[in-house]
Amino acid sequence: MAEFIPVGTFDIVIFGATGDLSERKLLPALFHRWLDGQIPGGSRIIGSARSEMTTAKFRAFAKAACKAGASSNWDAPAWEEFATLLDYVAMDATKPDAPWDELRGKLSGEKGWPCVFYLATAPRLYVAICEALGAANLSTQDARVVLEKPIGTNLASAKAINDGVGAIFAEDAVYRIDHYLGKETVQNLMVLRFGNALFEPVWSRAEVDHVQITVSEALGVEDRADYYDGSGALRDMVQNHILQLLCLTAMEPPGSMDASDVRTEKIKVLRALRRFTPSDAKDKTVRAQYTAGVVGGDAVPGYLEELSSDDPSRTETFVAIHAEIDNWRWAGVPFYLRTGKRMSERRSEIIIQFKPTPHSIFGETSSAANRLVIRLQPDEAVRLFVQIKEPGPGGLRIKSLPLDLSYAVNFTTRYPDAYERLLMDVVRGNLSLFMRRDEVEAAWEWVDGLLDAWGEADGAIETYPAGSNGPAAADFLLRKDDRAWWETSK
Ligand code: BG6
């Protein structure tokens, strides 16, 4: 049975409350925490957006959102109680002359109660909203501001956002969300590495041949084509989620789980990532766009057909990268990173491929090496492939089989959505799972280098049919190193 540690009474204001993130993630996450008895009754949840809307209408919007996100039977009485926490203020939060007094009047104003301002808006509005919060005297000691990704579109714009927000809020009041860090299995990565003495001695260039990180999605760009076409897979997925997974996989053991210890170790990894020259960018990365194909039995259009514009876009919906970390632990160990939309299936996985035994006494049959497969989603699991003797007569046959730690078999509790944990962490003031300013900037620095190298190299954009595992060039990226992507998903 899961235990929930209640948080103190708090206020949260969601700017962009009628948007997609609020509807799909934030409101359902808060309702789930309420259902589990984690949110105290006196807390207030205030939606704010430009649309004129009564509080009753906002509650109806939130109800529909929470019903759609409900993981079990709809609990009508619990909803009625939760709905009393909800309120709404229509305003353009970038304007100092917006009805800030009305918003303030809806906050408890209690000293010591956390007041969370969640900016679920376009990132270009972050600074203006923070400045308006400052002008309205709402950037108090108890205030915290939550910023969604992407923080900028390159290093310069990320710095401008960080500077603008930092002029109003101290760094320890700024919570930069990367929702991958709130996923159960991503946190388990730290437990696996640092809660077991077994792995640390083999977690380095001495025993690891290479690492693969795959985040494949079956979905396309859906209704986000405008945003996505200005972004692409590198900015949308690698700059944040995949680099965070790489950091947790490659970092040194932190001294403690304190935010500062964990974040300090992660940034060392980002700083040790090798920069790309134009010729490296050609040899060690692959960019591609999906063409029409079949995903899950349904015919789907290609990326270019989904865009409303007639200009042929060069935005990548798939990227594969052979990354290298220049430090003592990882020198010479390739980290193959791959992410794409409209691939054959939704699958996020980290593979630690160990080296083969130094000498085989069993001959050819024992050539497979140990492999640790960390399945982040779906079908969450950790599988350690070991060689065992296949029973029976007829010679010595060796098989590679997994020691299987499947979540579904071992746990029956519901896994909270990443946003549920992250929202409660903001209220608690726990910054461990949020990105520090220098982390975001170091990640952009590396990504900017690759974007520049791509620009100079002017390489081709490959294509791959929707429903496949990416372009042939991505397979070749590993084949030329005598390796292959791990595709056996179950
Ligand atoms: C978001 C990206 O940050 O993460 C989306 O902007 C992507 O493009 C999503 O689809 C993936 O998240 P998850 O939790 O579904 O793996």
Side-chain angles (χ1 to χ4, degrees):
M1 184 65 188
E3 276 182 30
F4 299 101
I5 306 163
V7 296
T9 315
F10 66 95
D11 293 343
I12 180 168
V13 180
I14 303 174
F15 294 113
T18 54
D20 182 63
L21 179 71
S22 165
E23 183 177 11
R24 282 191 316 110
K25 294 291 183 182
L26 305 180
L27 292 167
L30 289 164
F31 183 47
H32 271 296
R33 294 298 87 229
W34 172 261
L35 286 174
D36 282 335
Q38 204 172 9
I39 297 183
S43 301
R44 296 156 196 222
I45 300 169
I46 299 159
S48 175
R50 278 180 307 182
S51 334
E52 287 298 335
M53 193 186 273
T54 60
T55 295
K57 207 160 165 221
F58 179 62
R59 287 179 180 170
F61 167 82
K63 184 176 180 179
C66 293
K67 262 190 159 172
S71 59
S72 52
N73 291 338
W74 180 245
D75 187 339
W79 168 262
E80 293 308 325
E81 287 172 24
F82 177 73
T84 63
L85 312 188
L86 302 178
D87 213 330
Y88 184 79
V89 181
M91 64 192 274
D92 178 347
T94 61
K95 301 272 186 314
D97 59 0
W100 290 102
D101 286 341
E102 187 188 338
L103 177 66
R104 192 180 300 99
K106 294 186 187 286
L107 298 171
S108 70
E110 288 287 335
K111 261 206 150 58
W113 287 19
C115 182
V116 178
F117 296 104
Y118 200 117
L119 275 50
T121 64
R124 65 190 148 75
L125 308 181
Y126 290 170
V127 174
I129 297 178
C130 288
E131 285 172 354
L133 281 166
N137 294 322
L138 286 169
S139 53
T140 61
Q141 287 290 314
D142 298 321
R144 285 150 206 192
V145 63
V146 186
L147 308 180
E148 261 297 326
K149 69 159 266 268
I151 312 280
T153 53
N154 54 22
L155 179 59
S157 54
K159 276 190 168 163
I161 290 177
N162 285 332
D163 285 345
V165 172
I168 309 294
F169 291 97
E171 177 62 24
D172 63 6
V174 182
Y175 291 71
R176 297 179 191 83
I177 283 223
D178 182 315
H179 77 277
Y180 267 57
L181 294 179
K183 290 186 190 264
E184 288 288 334
T185 44
V186 175
Q187 287 163 55
N188 185 42
L189 189 53
M190 283 209 264
V191 176
L192 190 72
R193 283 197 61 195
F194 307 126
N196 296 291
L198 189 66
F199 293 115
E200 179 52 22
V202 293
W203 207 264
S204 73
R205 65 194 300 271
E207 301 297 343
V208 174
D209 177 77
H210 73 274
V211 175
Q212 299 182 13
I213 302 180
T214 293
V215 178
S216 70
E217 296 184 89
L219 289 178
V221 293
E222 310 301 296
D223 48 5
R224 298 160 76 223
D226 277 353
Y227 150 75
Y228 193 87
D229 200 49
S231 168
L234 182 68
R235 288 187 171 99
D236 184 51
M237 293 296 286
V238 178
Q239 190 272 342
N240 34 77
H241 307 324
I242 291 199
L243 285 187
Q244 287 295 322
L245 295 179
L246 179 138
C247 285
L248 295 177
T249 307
M251 71 184 183
E252 295 299 314
S256 74
M257 280 296 284
D258 275 2
S260 144
D261 286 353
V262 174
R263 302 197 301 184
T264 299
E265 291 308 334
K266 284 197 289 168
I267 195 165
K268 288 184 196 160
V269 177
L270 293 170
R271 292 203 174 125
L273 273 173
R274 188 175 304 167
R275 297 337 191 213
F276 288 93
T277 62
S279 100
D280 282 345
K282 257 190 169 149
D283 292 347
K284 298 195 165 174
T285 70
V286 174
R287 287 177 284 169
Q289 263 177 6
Y290 59 84
T291 53
V294 178
V295 181
D298 296 327
V300 296
Y303 179 66
L304 292 182
E305 287 121 57
E306 280 179 331
L307 294 181
S308 36
S309 140
D310 291 336
D311 289 341
S313 161
R314 279 177 58 79
T315 300
E316 77 288 350
T317 60
F318 172 98
V319 64
I321 300 174
H322 171 164
E324 283 175 82
I325 301 175
D326 288 328
N327 65 17
W328 275 43
R329 186 186 283 264
W330 296 115
V333 177
F335 280 68
Y336 298 108
L337 317 176
R338 169 176 69 156
T339 185
K341 300 265 183 212
R342 284 282 190 235
M343 293 178 64
S344 61
E345 59 178 345
R346 176 171 183 253
R347 170 162 63 104
S348 299
E349 219 161 45
I350 300 174
I351 313 291
I352 312 293
Q353 177 62 60
F354 292 98
K355 293 182 174 173
T357 52
H359 167 69
S360 168
I361 62 167
F362 305 114
E364 285 296 296
T365 46
S366 70
S367 59
N370 299 122
R371 174 186 292 129
L372 180 66
V373 177
I374 304 164
R375 171 61 89 93
L376 304 173
Q377 64 183 25
D379 305 325
E380 294 79 357
V382 176
R383 297 192 175 95
L384 178 63
F385 283 78
V386 295
Q387 321 307 324
I388 66 158
K389 179 191 174 303
E390 208 180 317
L396 187 71
R397 289 186 306 276
I398 294 182
K399 250 194 136 157
S400 181
L401 283 181
L403 295 171
D404 198 335
L405 248 181
S406 147
Y407 269 50
V409 171
N410 289 283
F411 305 108
T412 49
T413 45
R414 161 185 177 268
Y415 319 142
D417 184 76
Y419 279 93
E420 295 178 40
R421 167 177 295 269
L422 294 173
L423 280 164
M424 294 300 99
D425 275 358
V426 178
V427 174
R428 281 192 201 98
N430 180 1
L431 282 152
S432 304
L433 298 178
F434 298 84
M435 291 178 296
R436 203 165 62 191
R437 169 183 185 146
D438 51 0
E439 253 180 277
V440 173
E441 293 178 5
W444 273 123
E445 211 175 320
W446 184 75
V447 164
D448 272 8
L450 180 51
L451 288 167
D452 289 349
W454 277 348
E456 282 177 48
D458 196 27
I461 291 259
E462 310 280 338
T463 56
Y464 60 103
S468 68
N469 284 332
D475 293 337
F476 184 65
L477 186 72
L478 269 69
R479 208 177 321 126
K480 66 189 176 195
D481 295 346
D482 248 346
R483 299 183 175 109
W485 295 105
W486 166 253
E487 303 292 12
T488 311
S489 56
K490 299 284 171 197

